[in-house]
Amino acid sequence: MPWDRNQMAARAAEELEDGMYVNLGIGIPTLVANYVGDKDITLQSENGMLGMGPFPFEGEEDPDLINAGKQTITELSRTSYFDSATSFGMIRGGKIAAAILGAMEVSEEGDLANWMIPGKLVKGMGGAMDLVAGVGRVIVVMDHTNKAGESKVLRACTLPLTGKAVVDRIITNLGVLDVVPGGLRIVQLADGVTEEELRAATEATIVA
Amino acid sequence: MKKVYATADAALDGLLHDGMFIAAGGFGLCGIPELLIDALVRSGVKDLTIASNNCGVDGFGLGKLLDTRQIRKMISSYVGENAEFMRQYLSGELELEFNPQGTLAERMRAGGAGIPGFYTKTGVGTVIAEGKEVKTFDGQDYILERGIVADLSIVKAWKADDTGNLVFRKTARNFNPPAAMCGRVCVAEVEEIVPRGSLDPDLIHLPGIYVHRIIQGSHEKRIEQRTTRKKETA
């Protein structure tokens, strides 16, 4: 059985170490927060907050307190607030240890496409381009194939890029791959997934 | 110099002209200058270029200025929440310049700080880099981005004193300080104007030197994505 969304998030949470400042993207990456356990992780929200807490209880929503996905959230005892220029200063300046992001396509050279589909989806990159250019480590969490069954792990991205040669590790429903010289290296197979199945679902070059 | 004005309309009087460039604070609908946006709608000023991270939603925030066709061009990082925006953009009525979010914030900060351009890694190797100077520092490529100086900044803060010192609340700070900095004139709307001396000088988020006019008013503060969790029952 390939991993489901929660299993992928749990696997991504294993990437995080005590003391890290981390930025989580929208979608499956948001679920990673549920699996950090006892680790001392500080979540950054790029609209100007370090120390993001869980969703508020019903009736306690504060319109002045949202995350980068515009969802109402809460603060923690460690929380600090700052403006957007300061927020991206810490992102661009390499102070954020890791970003866990979703993707439409990833290439074997670590190129990432996750912000637009020409003619179809024109929403904008938000903070994704700054994050992938600036943070210490970029981890992509996504399904290995799209709804049509085509590989999202490609030799070269077909969609406009969010960043060039920026991805370090790819976690999909089929397993974990690292971007290394010459292509991708299989780090781990999802439970019950064979190497043949993963290779068949991957267009990118897999190196030994 | 008296900075406090009675209404948003009075605070914008004499500052507006067609074709002008406005920088607006806010992230999504959080910390947006609602009252000044409404006053811009009433003024009828048009052909606006607006630098703002987002463009509101249909019928609220900067979305109101889309409905009245007062915006010619947006400089934004994300505009996904607005059907009228998409319609005007796809039909060619509205111009759009996408900026990565951090690049937009830094363009505002830099413009306000007298820095006409800066180099950043953000966008290298993407469409954002097209037509921009690339410079290599220590073996790594960076692109040149320009500082923004706007004709007018409109921002929202929590509290102000009558000298324009501003304090923001939680994540409603967001783009407001850099947007305020980059305007030749900045008008701020706040929830409360407090007596001079009652704000702790060590805890001012934006010094009054950046703020030229202030109004106080009540805000709707609409929530874009209301997310909650259930209280666990024992």
Side-chain angles (χ1 to χ4, degrees):
Chain A
M1 281 286 285
W3 286 328
D4 64 21
R5 289 163 58 88
N6 285 302
Q7 288 169 311
M8 288 158 69
R11 178 59 188 82
E14 289 176 27
E15 302 291 321
L16 304 181
E17 292 163 26
D18 227 28
M20 273 188 173
Y21 291 87
V22 177
N23 185 293
L24 303 178
I26 293 163
I28 302 173
T30 305
L31 300 174
V32 174
N34 299 336
Y35 297 95
V36 296
D38 293 336
K39 281 185 278 198
D40 185 31
I41 303 294
T42 304
L43 298 178
Q44 198 236 21
S45 190
E46 66 265 27
N47 53 319
M49 179 184 200
L50 277 169
M52 184 167 41
F55 293 147
F57 292 121
E58 225 165 278
E60 293 176 9
E61 308 92 320
D62 183 341
D64 288 338
L65 183 44
I66 64 169
N67 65 16
K70 284 110 183 178
Q71 299 170 312
T72 47
I73 48 163
T74 55
E75 63 186 21
L76 304 169
S77 55
R78 73 174 61 189
T79 296
S80 59
Y81 299 109
F82 33 84
D83 69 68
S84 299
T86 305
S87 180
F88 283 92
M90 66 184 72
I91 288 170
R92 216 185 291 103
K95 314 299 179 189
I96 304 292
I100 301 180
L101 303 170
M104 298 171 184
E105 296 176 345
V106 184
S107 85
E108 65 190 40
E109 292 183 343
D111 298 349
L112 170 67
N114 73 352
W115 75 281
M116 86 175 278
I117 303 171
K120 273 191 186 168
L121 179 76
V122 191
K123 292 190 168 191
M125 70 289 285
M129 284 192 180
D130 308 276
L131 280 161
V132 299
V135 302
R137 191 166 158 74
V138 174
I139 298 155
V140 163
V141 181
M142 65 173 192
D143 282 326
H144 210 97
T145 54
N146 63 23
K147 290 195 176 80
E150 298 156 339
S151 185
K152 294 169 68 175
V153 186
L154 305 173
R155 285 196 192 91
C157 292
T158 63
L159 296 169
L161 296 184
T162 308
K164 201 163 176 54
V166 293
V167 176
D168 296 288
R169 177 163 280 193
I170 309 164
I171 298 171
T172 77
N173 53 327
L174 301 185
V176 181
L177 297 149
D178 271 354
V179 179
V180 296
L184 303 177
R185 187 174 59 82
I186 300 172
V187 175
Q188 184 183 349
L189 297 166
D191 308 324
V193 173
T194 66
E195 186 171 329
E196 288 65 39
E197 284 168 336
L198 184 141
R199 282 175 179 269
T202 306
E203 190 214 81
T205 310
I206 293 179
V207 297
Chain B
M1 192 180 78
K2 188 181 159 299
K3 293 188 178 182
V4 178
Y5 286 69
T7 64
D9 304 85
L12 292 177
D13 187 41
L15 301 180
L16 305 179
H17 61 89
D18 291 349
M20 73 187 300
F21 181 14
I22 298 175
F27 179 90
L29 301 180
C30 181
I32 59 171
E34 299 176 18
L35 307 175
L36 291 163
I37 290 168
D38 286 347
L40 285 175
V41 171
R42 285 192 295 272
S43 79
V45 66
K46 60 183 193 294
D47 292 326
L48 299 173
T49 295
I50 300 185
S52 169
N53 189 57
N54 314 90
C55 195
V57 297
D58 288 302
F60 194 68
L62 290 173
K64 289 185 179 180
L65 287 165
L66 285 175
D67 293 340
T68 52
R69 306 285 201 284
Q70 287 169 270
I71 304 176
R72 183 180 63 80
K73 178 181 176 181
M74 285 300 301
I75 303 174
S76 302
S77 87
Y78 191 83
V79 294
E81 319 295 349
N82 198 315
E84 176 62 15
F85 188 103
M86 278 306 126
R87 196 199 62 70
Q88 289 187 25
Y89 173 64
L90 295 173
S91 70
E93 295 167 57
L94 178 68
E95 206 180 320
L96 169 63
E97 178 186 324
F98 270 132
N99 277 196
Q101 194 174 140
T103 294
L104 179 59
E106 188 64 13
R107 290 185 68 193
M108 290 179 177
R109 195 200 69 82
I115 296 171
F118 58 92
Y119 292 96
T120 176
K121 277 188 289 190
T122 303
V124 169
T126 76
V127 292
I128 293 303
E130 284 173 11
K132 290 174 184 160
E133 183 197 325
V134 178
K135 190 160 175 158
T136 307
F137 294 91
D138 304 320
Q140 190 145 30
D141 286 347
Y142 295 78
I143 55 175
L144 176 65
E145 295 281 4
R146 296 292 310 271
I148 284 176
V149 177
D151 297 316
L152 170 68
S153 296
I154 54 172
V155 301
K156 151 80 175 48
W158 182 34
K159 291 180 180 179
D161 64 19
D162 70 304
T163 74
N165 290 320
L166 299 186
V167 175
F168 301 90
R169 188 170 173 273
K170 302 184 190 286
T171 57
R173 192 182 321 185
N174 58 57
F175 273 80
N176 282 297
M181 289 172 70
C182 80
R184 290 191 186 91
V185 180
C186 172
V187 183
E189 60 180 66
V190 302
E191 294 175 44
E192 189 183 2
I193 297 176
V194 299
R196 196 181 296 196
S198 61
L199 296 175
D200 183 342
D202 270 330
L203 299 178
I204 302 292
H205 295 143
L206 189 75
I209 191 168
Y210 295 109
V211 180
H212 305 93
R213 299 182 181 190
I214 316 155
I215 55 156
Q216 176 181 301
S218 60
H219 293 79
E220 178 184 335
K221 297 213 256 186
R222 195 181 290 187
I223 291 176
E224 206 165 328
Q225 307 276 350
R226 189 179 296 272
T227 44
T228 58
R229 69 193 146 122
K230 289 258 181 284
K231 270 187 178 137
E232 283 173 36
T233 45

